Amino acid sequence: MRKSVLINGKKILDKISLYTYLHEQFNFAYPIGNNLDGLWDVLSHNQSLKRITIIHSSVLKNNLNEYAISFLELLSSLQEKRNIELIIYEGKRNETN
């Protein structure tokens, strides 16, 4: 798994594409299941992950609605538990978050 991961909200259209995209971005060694519990299990036990950056989070929220909120809450909890740097931008990186 990578130390730093960039998540582009424009690449995520629905729950299926979310998990496909996360698998590619995080470079998971094995399938994690298409659910937040599986994602939490893998991410919370990974010691190499240090930073997650999300760009175009407004698009992610628009496409996934309430599921996006749950996903972002999971990442926030991960930040607290593992002291991972979590950076979220509504648009591109050079825009204010």
Side-chain angles (χ1 to χ4, degrees):
M1 191 179 300
R2 297 184 172 117
K3 290 183 180 183
S4 179
V5 174
L6 174 67
I7 298 171
N8 183 343
K10 286 185 173 182
K11 305 274 185 177
I12 300 166
L13 305 175
D14 53 28
K15 284 189 214 178
I16 294 170
S17 65
L18 168 69
Y19 290 104
T20 301
Y21 183 75
L22 293 178
H23 198 279
E24 294 168 1
Q25 293 303 102
F26 282 98
N27 197 25
F28 295 134
Y30 51 87
I32 61 163
N34 291 346
N35 60 70
L36 295 174
D37 288 336
L39 181 61
W40 173 260
D41 289 343
V42 172
L43 294 180
S44 65
H45 291 96
N46 181 279
Q47 298 301 314
S48 64
L49 184 62
K50 303 297 179 201
R51 178 177 52 216
I52 300 172
T53 303
I54 301 174
I55 60 173
H56 301 292
S57 67
S58 60
V59 177
L60 174 73
K61 291 173 190 173
N62 187 56
N63 289 346
L64 296 182
N65 301 304
E66 292 297 318
Y67 201 78
I69 303 304
S70 298
F71 171 64
L72 294 172
E73 287 174 353
L74 178 144
L75 295 180
S76 180
S77 295
L78 184 67
Q79 177 186 29
E80 292 174 17
K81 178 181 181 186
R82 294 266 337 285
N83 198 28
I84 291 172
E85 184 179 7
L86 177 62
I87 305 164
I88 301 174
Y89 297 99
E90 292 293 316
K92 295 182 275 183
R93 279 185 257 199
N94 60 350
E95 297 174 357
T96 307
N97 55 341

